[in-house]
Amino acid sequence: MTPTTIGGSTSTGRLETAGVSVHFGPRSALEEINVRFGVAETISLLGPNGAGKSTLLKLLAGMLPPSHGEVLLDGVPVRKPTQGVVYVPQRTGVDWTFPVNVLDVALMGRAGSRSRLTRFAEHDRMEGLAALDRVGMRRFAGVQIGQLSGGQQQRVFLARALLQAGQIYLLDEPFAGVDVPTQELLIDLFEGLRREGRTIIYATHDLAQAAKCSNRVLLINRRVIANGPPSHVMTATNLRATFGGQAVLIPAGAEIAVVAEDSAG
Amino acid sequence: MSAMLDWVLDPLSRTFMQHAFAAIVLVGVICGVIGTFVTLRGLAFMGDALAHAIFPGVVIAFVLGGNVLIGALIAAVLVSLAIGAVGQSERLSNDTAIGVLFAGGFALGIALISAERSYAKDLSSFLFGTILGVSRSDLLLTGGVGLTVLLTIGLFRRELSMIAFDRTFAQANGLNLWVYDQLFLLLLSLAIVISLQTVGNILVLAMLVTPAATARLLTDRLPWMAFLAALIGAGSGVVGLYVSYYRGISSGASVVLVATAIFALAYLFAPRTGVVTVRLGRRLHFPHPEHDAFPVDADESPSLPQPHIPYRDPAAGQTGRQPTAS
């Protein structure tokens, strides 16, 4: 929330974890995570429920202290949320009956950097509308947030994240429960942000989605199973190691085939 | 006409009633504004608990002859910290922590005051307030504390509403949730403490919850909700005092009943959400509600009033009409 340099290229935004583990009481959520995240990459964190995807994202966002190891941003340990690292939470943690409209929510992305004494300036509102335009939600600016469909709510979250003008975007399950047009919009948006030199890291348990729209996949199930381009790491062996016997996907050329596997096997 | 005017003016000619009106308006406004956040965060039980748990502080200050407000404040801070601490326990929910401390604190207050000679009279004045005994210095204190509360909420409005709407996002933005939660509880305690003399320990909850709930039925915007809640709180106070004056019923009860009546009216007849209004409107104007789930050509300027959303079809709510992605 403390406004540091805005607009200046203070960092190149290179995230890295060094021997990070997280324990909740006796339960270990993540073990010995050593990953370097590149710049201008779209990286999906792929794993089953309870694999620690959300935990890893919160860790990278500086919202959760690691039990061991360090998260480093350009070599500097991350101990609290920093400007430039934008976290987009899951939709489910939000009170959708809240009396705010779409533009109000988007402008929350600007709340920390504006005067306490005044209302939002006209140019903030214009930028808010522009961000809504980018996610196709401009004409819903005055609509109460609870009136929207799941996909539309996700778009508003993205507009809010865009207004935060980050270098690194961390998204928790952005594709969960959204409609097909929103999925396509998300893919376009990620690609646009990546071309602008930003890094997108998102959690998903959708294999096809991860294979289609990320240039790096991190297979995790409490530890890192594999890390690399989708075509390299999404092998039957790796996926079985990640998902157990739930369902296995085998990349066959450019096509993706999903093979349900007997859980006993 | 002049009889009507007399009816209105008669109570205002008495000093104790002037003080009472001023006090109830202050309390209505302050409780309305902070009550907006209390209802949005689902903290009604917490508000009730604070009101009861600060009771021992009030009694100790009273017995020692100190300032009752200061005693109540010390108790409120201690109780909200204790609830925070007990609620951290992995085996107990926050609700449970509130329940334990709420009843314990209240019992301690009763135990302390029951040792006094004028027990029954003192107890009832704490529980139900003594609005007709509000002095000029009480009013100044109420006004000063109330203004502080309102200004603080105004300064931190973005943080408070962000936390109420989406805690995870607020945390990711670097807000220290614990600090803001404690700040909010402190403001809430202050609001409760200055309401004690006016409406009493038991009915202060109604001043926090009912006007805000009514306002929520009337608007979809947070600033408007706070404004309307303040207006409804103050309005119920004034009307309630008149009713109390002419009917000879307890002022606290009368104020709360008026607020409750306004809530009932809004619940039934609010323009877009009222139970009756929606049914009538559906029958008269919207034979095909699915066509009205979203405004077709909503004005894009945010400074204009928000588009009219007359009816939300539960079935259409999930899918909704998608805008053409551009």
Side-chain angles (χ1 to χ4, degrees):
Chain A
M1 199 87 320
T2 45
T4 52
T5 330
I6 299 168
S9 53
T10 48
S11 71
T12 52
R14 203 172 288 277
L15 266 180
E16 144 181 28
T17 64
V20 165
S21 301
V22 176
H23 303 280
F24 296 119
R27 195 172 68 83
S28 105
L30 289 172
E31 286 288 349
E32 273 296 307
I33 308 287
N34 290 293
V35 183
R36 282 161 183 267
F37 297 93
V39 172
E41 275 193 310
T42 305
I43 301 139
S44 56
L45 308 181
L46 185 60
N49 289 329
K53 303 186 293 285
S54 298
T55 306
L56 181 53
L57 283 176
K58 284 194 175 170
L59 210 60
L60 295 174
M63 295 162 67
L64 185 76
S67 310
H68 303 287
E70 295 267 29
V71 174
L72 303 166
L73 176 60
D74 296 317
V76 181
V78 174
R79 298 219 167 84
K80 58 183 174 53
T82 28
Q83 187 149 28
V85 180
V86 175
Y87 175 83
V88 182
Q90 286 188 43
R91 279 191 303 116
T92 45
V94 171
D95 174 13
W96 294 106
T97 64
F98 207 77
V100 284
N101 66 26
V102 165
L103 182 62
D104 292 334
V105 175
L107 283 173
M108 284 182 189
R110 279 288 157 84
S113 52
R114 290 301 175 264
S115 163
R116 299 190 172 285
L117 298 176
T118 57
R119 288 160 56 95
F120 280 110
E122 197 51 37
H123 69 86
D124 280 318
R125 304 172 74 84
M126 294 320 289
E127 280 178 50
L129 287 174
L132 288 175
D133 207 21
R134 197 165 167 188
V135 297
M137 289 299 290
R138 185 183 169 121
R139 65 199 189 112
F140 295 101
V143 174
Q144 195 268 332
I145 190 88
Q147 308 279 335
L148 304 177
S149 72
Q152 290 171 326
Q153 290 171 343
Q154 188 66 59
R155 289 164 185 237
V156 178
F157 269 20
L158 289 169
R160 181 176 71 179
L162 288 174
L163 281 176
Q164 290 179 270
Q167 183 60 36
I168 297 167
Y169 284 83
L170 307 167
L171 303 96
D172 202 352
E173 297 281 357
F175 290 101
V178 305
D179 45 55
V180 173
T182 301
Q183 290 180 22
E184 286 165 1
L185 181 128
L186 275 167
I187 296 169
D188 287 350
L189 198 66
F190 287 178
E191 186 53 24
L193 288 170
R194 198 185 61 75
R195 282 213 211 94
E196 290 168 16
R198 297 163 207 251
T199 307
I200 298 101
I201 304 171
Y202 70 94
T204 183
H205 53 253
D206 184 333
L207 301 157
Q209 199 64 257
K212 199 165 80 180
C213 56
S214 46
N215 43 22
R216 191 136 73 92
V217 173
L218 197 66
L219 288 171
I220 57 171
N221 194 346
R222 284 197 273 168
R223 51 192 185 80
V224 176
I225 311 276
N227 173 10
S231 54
H232 289 194
V233 299
M234 291 173 82
T235 62
T237 319
N238 281 343
L239 291 172
R240 200 173 290 124
T242 311
F243 286 89
Q246 290 177 6
V248 168
L249 167 148
I250 299 158
E255 293 298 308
I256 304 288
V258 178
V259 181
E261 198 175 72
D262 189 344
S263 54
Chain B
M1 189 62 204
S2 84
M4 176 82 179
L5 207 61
D6 282 348
W7 191 89
V8 173
L9 290 181
D10 181 47
L12 291 174
S13 63
R14 296 153 196 260
T15 314
F16 72 92
M17 281 306 281
Q18 289 169 2
H19 287 175
F21 275 115
I24 198 75
V25 166
L26 280 170
V27 165
V29 168
I30 295 156
C31 286
V33 172
I34 197 149
T36 297
F37 290 94
V38 171
T39 51
L40 289 177
R41 292 187 60 175
L43 288 176
F45 187 44
M46 183 72 188
D48 198 22
L50 273 180
H52 284 78
I54 60 183
F55 193 48
V58 175
V59 174
I60 290 171
F62 174 74
V63 171
L64 296 179
N67 188 316
V68 170
L69 285 183
I70 290 170
L73 255 189
I74 293 172
V77 172
L78 289 178
V79 166
S80 71
L81 286 173
I83 289 173
V86 178
Q88 293 281 311
S89 158
E90 283 190 15
R91 296 188 177 200
L92 298 177
S93 74
N94 219 27
D95 244 24
T96 310
I98 292 171
V100 169
L101 287 154
F102 158 15
F106 195 55
L108 178 61
I110 292 178
L112 287 169
I113 204 170
S114 63
E116 293 292 298
R117 238 182 322 198
S118 51
Y119 166 52
K121 184 171 156 287
D122 294 340
L123 184 65
S124 94
S125 76
F126 283 126
L127 295 187
F128 300 108
T130 46
I131 193 168
L132 301 183
V134 175
S135 69
R136 177 170 288 274
S137 64
D138 289 339
L139 266 184
L140 285 175
L141 191 63
T142 306
V145 174
L147 200 65
T148 312
V149 169
L150 292 181
L151 280 176
T152 313
I153 293 177
L155 282 178
F156 294 101
R157 64 194 182 282
R158 289 192 191 124
E159 287 85 353
L160 290 174
S161 45
M162 200 191 281
I163 289 172
F165 173 62
D166 186 347
R167 278 179 84 78
T168 317
F169 176 75
Q171 193 196 355
N173 261 267
L175 295 191
N176 186 327
L177 298 182
W178 188 86
V179 168
Y180 278 98
D181 283 349
Q182 289 304 322
L183 172 72
F184 181 74
L185 289 181
L186 178 66
L187 294 174
L188 179 58
S189 307
L190 283 168
I192 291 170
V193 167
I194 58 176
S195 310
L196 284 185
Q197 192 181 17
T198 317
V199 287
N201 217 314
I202 295 186
L203 293 179
V204 61
L205 181 68
M207 294 306 281
L208 288 170
V209 173
T210 312
T214 312
R216 181 65 188 91
L217 294 175
L218 299 174
T219 178
D220 272 338
R221 300 296 299 279
L222 183 60
W224 276 106
M225 183 178 164
F227 175 76
L228 285 175
L231 201 68
I232 294 166
S236 324
V238 171
V239 175
L241 270 192
Y242 273 107
V243 173
S244 158
Y245 184 81
Y246 285 108
R247 290 273 159 235
I249 47 180
S250 154
S251 53
S254 156
V255 168
V256 171
L257 284 177
V258 170
T260 311
I262 299 175
F263 172 82
L265 284 177
Y267 181 75
L268 294 174
F269 302 112
R272 279 185 280 133
T273 53
V275 175
V276 175
T277 334
V278 167
R279 289 196 175 213
L280 274 179
R282 200 185 299 172
R283 194 165 304 160
L284 293 177
H285 299 297
F286 306 114
H288 303 292
E290 67 279 9
H291 293 172
D292 294 303
F294 285 103
V296 178
D297 275 310
D299 196 307
E300 294 191 348
S301 161
S303 57
L304 289 173
Q306 56 179 307
H308 184 58
I309 311 157
Y311 171 72
R312 186 177 171 226
D313 186 37
Q318 278 310 302
T319 52
R321 192 142 26 105
Q322 290 301 320
T324 45
S326 48

